[in-house]
Amino acid sequence: MSVKKVKYSNWYLLQQAIEHLPLGVSIIDSNQKLVAWNPRYKNLFSYPDDLLIRGRPIGDLYRYNAERRVTSEFRSVDEIEAMVNRRIIRLIEGNPHQRVTTLKNGMTLNIIGQPMPNGGFVTSYVDVSDFTQTEKALRESEHTIRAYTDNLPAMIAYLDTNLKIRFINKAFERIMRVDREEVIGKTAKELFPPLEYELRKPFLSAALNGERQRFEVTVQRIGDPRDYEASYI
């Protein structure tokens, strides 16, 4: 078999291996030229058929995306060329890389590039939009909850099943003389003074077992002690 046929056979096997992967994949050789890609990669960036050809310099694709503002805003041709040069240098140096970018259409991609032993590069493109949207919704939800609870006069704290503090409101901060950022992640044992913790401990244990608890507790941080009614749910 000729060298040409061997190379074609290897390329065909490589192409078949990535063809049906659910993530986008592009592969370049040691000369930073496109060797293989799969349909998902083409669809993610809406590349025209005549752009994706074997032997195409990968810089052309970077430039194409930049000119169409697919991934970033560039103010001039010089900025685009500077970006292309930076990425080419990174590929030549063989440095693995990972970044998360949001496309113009709102899709968020996790892009991971890994060098190959022969000097080429394999880059994967994973759509993480759903995860990103969920993460954003959780942050917004936490912000909304905090906005409401910070305006309540009652102390509110949320502890997980390991009795670690996950959330407190402003009233809790003020009365307990603690800083929200410093106590998040600490355990109840670390938060409360020893005697106060021992008093609360059986009620905490019962609450973890699903039993609603209500009891009185004396809190003294600065000044005279004050009695409070505590509820654990």
Side-chain angles (χ1 to χ4, degrees):
M1 184 180 294
S2 67
V3 173
K4 185 176 181 179
K5 287 184 178 180
V6 169
K7 288 184 177 180
Y8 177 81
S9 177
N10 289 340
W11 171 83
Y12 179 79
L13 291 173
L14 177 62
Q15 190 68 51
Q16 290 300 306
I18 65 175
E19 187 77 9
H20 301 292
L21 291 177
L23 65 159
V25 177
S26 67
I27 302 173
I28 62 171
D29 61 18
S30 58
N31 294 314
Q32 296 78 55
K33 292 184 177 181
L34 195 61
V35 174
W37 61 93
N38 66 349
R40 181 59 174 159
Y41 172 67
K42 178 180 183 294
N43 294 335
L44 285 172
F45 294 98
S46 300
Y47 288 133
D49 292 335
D50 59 353
L51 184 66
L52 289 180
I53 57 175
R54 290 179 61 197
R56 168 78 70 183
I58 194 65
D60 289 356
L61 302 181
Y62 295 157
R63 196 172 289 107
Y64 177 84
N65 286 336
E67 290 172 349
R68 292 169 60 238
R69 299 182 179 180
V70 172
T71 56
S72 302
E73 295 284 340
F74 295 95
R75 292 173 294 183
S76 66
V77 174
D78 289 341
E79 283 191 0
I80 293 176
E81 290 306 314
M83 175 276 295
V84 171
N85 289 334
R86 284 195 304 271
R87 294 191 180 179
I88 295 298
I89 290 173
R90 182 172 59 194
L91 295 174
I92 293 173
E93 292 176 344
N95 296 322
H97 57 271
Q98 186 271 338
R99 64 189 176 94
V100 175
T101 188
T102 300
L103 305 184
K104 186 171 62 176
N105 61 11
M107 183 184 298
T108 301
L109 295 180
N110 184 28
I111 302 174
I112 301 174
Q114 293 290 343
M116 295 191 298
N118 65 356
F121 244 89
V122 177
T123 305
S124 62
Y125 306 79
V126 181
D127 181 0
V128 294
S129 302
D130 290 343
F131 173 79
T132 303
Q133 290 300 318
T134 300
E135 194 176 40
K136 180 182 178 182
L138 287 172
R139 286 197 302 268
E140 291 176 349
S141 175
E142 181 181 352
H143 178 76
T144 302
I145 291 171
R146 180 171 292 182
Y148 282 122
T149 58
D150 278 350
N151 287 290
L152 295 175
M155 290 185 286
I156 299 176
Y158 170 71
L159 284 69
D160 63 19
T161 55
N162 295 314
L163 294 181
K164 288 187 176 182
I165 312 296
R166 295 304 179 192
F167 173 85
I168 62 173
N169 69 342
K170 280 190 175 181
F172 194 100
E173 279 188 287
R174 184 181 68 255
I175 296 170
M176 291 297 184
R177 306 291 182 183
V178 295
D179 181 89
R180 177 181 289 170
E181 302 303 324
E182 293 181 359
V183 301
I184 298 300
K186 288 188 176 180
T187 63
K189 187 174 184 179
E190 294 172 311
L191 175 66
F192 299 116
L195 291 179
E196 190 176 325
Y197 173 72
E198 290 301 321
L199 171 65
R200 294 173 182 266
K201 187 176 179 180
F203 298 105
L204 288 167
S205 297
L208 286 177
N209 289 326
E211 303 171 17
R212 185 187 296 264
Q213 301 294 300
R214 177 173 291 179
F215 61 98
E216 290 189 355
V217 62
T218 299
V219 174
Q220 182 176 14
R221 295 298 183 267
I222 296 178
D224 296 331
R226 300 184 63 178
D227 293 329
Y228 293 90
E229 182 179 78
S231 296
Y232 290 167
I233 302 174

